[in-house]
Amino acid sequence: MRWIVSLSIVLAACGGTPIPTHNGYKPKEAKPWMKAKVLKLDDKLEAKTDGSVSYPDMRRARWYEITLPSNGQLTVSVEITPPGDAVNDDFDLGMEVLDPTSHVISKSDLEDGDAHELTKKKTLVDLLPGKYLIHLYLQSRMDTADFVLHASFKTTAAAEAKSDFPAQVPFVPALALVPLQDDTPRNYKPPTPNKPVQVSHVGHRPPPPPPPAPVATVTARIIGIQVVSGGTQLTLGRGTASGASNGMKGKINGVAGGFEIGNCNERTCSATVSATPDQIKNSNGTVTLSGP
């Protein structure tokens, strides 16, 4: 015990710097990440800040919070200035990036390939919107450093959600066994289906039948008259009766009796009537046709 005290006195007399025995944090800072400094992105979606860290002064680490507004890419870089009279040849300022669930998604310290570098840069792609943490920390008890931190963000399209089909599809439950042979009893008879009950409308009149559909009529002009055996043959122009067809019933306006037309083609239809040519000429030269 006396030897340890004497050694401490000798070191103090020689001007030696004692190695800190604390963990580099102030006692009240049990959770320093809860008080992270907020970095706000400017109009160019960039942010910049500077600071210093000192393990002996219980300022071992600095925490920063940055909020990403959408899906995108975050680039974080730090420029490090170590102390000019550093006694630790293994000096390194570590850096971590944590996602909104507090999981480390990027890291750089003495265990990584860019250890001892005075400029460190990390680019993280396909990030979701939310709050991310940047952690800068010293790793040796005698280290101090100044730094400048840069952050930039680029918006990208939302990443397509990957399907885990069929991982979430449940297995088909055990099905009932079906015998290979029909096991229906020989004397089995299927039940007779119930017959529909006839409802009697006693004291009520049945509903009237629907009215007949109206018969479409068209008007045709007589364009030819010829006396033939059994009457007078008429030639009707279809240009004035586009709906005329074989079998339609016709009637001359002002002349009693009717007739049926036939021999319809693209231009004319014909019909034989019992009226005389004089009776036909005294009409207005038109006939009315109706459906068969």
Side-chain angles (χ1 to χ4, degrees):
M1 184 67 178
R2 291 179 181 178
W3 180 83
I4 296 175
V5 174
S6 299
L7 180 59
S8 300
I9 294 173
V10 171
L11 289 175
C14 295
T17 303
I19 299 176
T21 58
H22 52 74
N23 61 2
Y25 298 96
K26 295 181 180 180
K28 63 180 180 180
E29 294 183 354
K31 297 180 180 180
W33 56 89
M34 300 297 292
K35 299 180 181 179
K37 181 180 179 180
V38 177
L39 296 179
K40 293 184 179 180
L41 297 172
D42 58 17
D43 296 339
K44 297 182 180 180
L45 298 179
E46 297 177 350
K48 177 182 177 182
T49 188
D50 55 17
S52 62
V53 284
S54 173
Y55 200 118
D57 296 341
M58 294 186 178
R59 293 184 293 109
R60 177 185 180 184
R62 296 292 299 271
W63 289 83
Y64 297 93
E65 175 187 301
I66 185 170
T67 300
L68 304 187
S70 62
N71 293 77
Q73 170 182 301
L74 177 64
T75 300
V76 179
S77 63
V78 58
E79 300 172 3
I80 307 166
T81 304
D85 56 347
V87 295
N88 183 9
D89 294 334
D90 290 332
F91 168 83
D92 185 72
L93 180 64
M95 179 174 66
E96 290 179 336
V97 180
L98 292 79
D99 66 7
T101 61
S102 298
H103 288 85
V104 177
I105 57 177
S106 179
K107 180 178 71 71
S108 174
D109 58 17
L110 290 173
E111 298 177 355
D112 298 295
D114 56 354
H116 314 299
E117 296 290 340
L118 299 183
T119 299
K120 296 186 177 183
K121 183 176 181 180
K122 297 292 183 181
T123 300
L124 298 90
V125 299
D126 296 334
L127 298 183
L128 298 176
K131 293 182 179 180
Y132 290 76
L133 293 176
I134 302 173
H135 180 206
L136 303 179
Y137 56 96
L138 294 170
Q139 301 172 79
S140 177
R141 294 178 181 270
M142 298 299 295
D143 287 342
T144 62
D146 296 328
F147 62 86
V148 178
L149 177 66
H150 299 266
S152 61
F153 175 73
K154 291 183 179 180
T155 302
T156 59
E160 183 179 356
K162 295 183 179 179
S163 174
D164 59 352
F165 180 84
Q168 301 298 328
V169 178
F171 288 101
V172 178
L175 301 178
L177 295 177
V178 179
L180 297 178
Q181 303 295 331
D182 187 3
D183 58 351
T184 304
R186 294 182 178 180
N187 58 352
Y188 172 79
K189 293 183 179 181
T192 304
N194 295 329
K195 295 182 179 181
V197 178
Q198 298 285 342
V199 179
S200 176
H201 297 278
V202 178
H204 297 279
R205 295 181 180 180
V215 179
T217 60
V218 295
T219 302
R221 180 168 294 279
I222 302 173
I223 60 174
I225 300 175
Q226 182 180 0
V227 177
V228 296
S229 176
T232 304
Q233 186 177 25
L234 303 180
T235 302
L236 308 178
R238 292 200 63 186
T240 58
S242 59
S245 61
N246 293 331
M248 294 186 72
K249 305 299 181 182
K251 186 178 185 308
I252 302 174
N253 297 333
V255 179
F259 56 89
E260 181 177 309
I261 66 173
N263 299 323
C264 290
N265 54 36
E266 295 181 356
R267 296 181 59 254
T268 62
C269 292
S270 61
T272 302
V273 299
S274 60
T276 65
D278 293 336
Q279 291 176 323
I280 298 172
K281 291 179 180 178
N282 291 332
S283 67
N284 58 4
T286 60
V287 299
T288 301
L289 302 176
S290 60

